[in-house]
Amino acid sequence: MTYVYLLFLSNQDIYKGVTDDLKRRLVEHKSGKVVSTRNYRPVTLVGYEAYLLRSDAERREAFLKTTEGRRLLKQQYRDILNKLDQKN
């Protein structure tokens, strides 16, 4: 399985990534081993999607990074993002 995962960062951005080992990757993000999220900890897992083929996961990640993908993502995860915004 390959996963597309979404992290809520301390600056209220959403990080999108792809991995074959979700648990390991989350530990790396939370411990500061990932350069792109190191300065925006703590990170919170918002959601993930599982794909059988890595190519499908990479295509989905690329879409989520577009303007339309960001808009749909914020619409889909509206309630949890609002809850996390209020928490910070």
Side-chain angles (χ1 to χ4, degrees):
M1 282 289 178
T2 303
Y3 302 92
V4 174
Y5 62 96
L6 310 165
L7 298 176
F8 185 78
L9 307 177
S10 64
N11 67 349
Q12 276 120 34
D13 281 344
I14 300 172
Y15 176 88
K16 300 126 192 124
V18 173
T19 186
D20 294 324
D21 187 347
L22 186 57
K23 288 181 182 180
R24 174 190 53 79
R25 193 63 174 154
L26 287 175
V27 169
E28 290 173 354
H29 279 288
K30 290 182 178 192
S31 65
K33 293 181 181 176
V34 180
V35 175
S36 56
T37 60
R38 177 180 299 152
N39 297 323
Y40 303 104
R41 293 181 292 160
V43 298
T44 305
L45 180 66
V46 174
Y48 65 90
E49 301 172 357
Y51 293 87
L52 292 174
L53 299 175
R54 185 169 186 91
S55 59
D56 288 336
E58 289 171 346
R59 191 174 311 108
R60 176 66 171 167
E61 179 198 26
F63 170 73
L64 291 174
K65 290 181 176 182
T66 66
T67 302
E68 180 68 11
R70 284 188 194 103
R71 186 185 68 76
L72 291 174
L73 186 67
K74 287 181 180 180
Q75 184 179 19
Q76 180 179 357
Y77 288 96
R78 180 184 61 220
D79 293 340
I80 194 163
L81 293 175
N82 286 338
K83 185 176 182 178
L84 290 170
D85 274 340
Q86 293 170 359
K87 198 172 162 182
N88 290 331

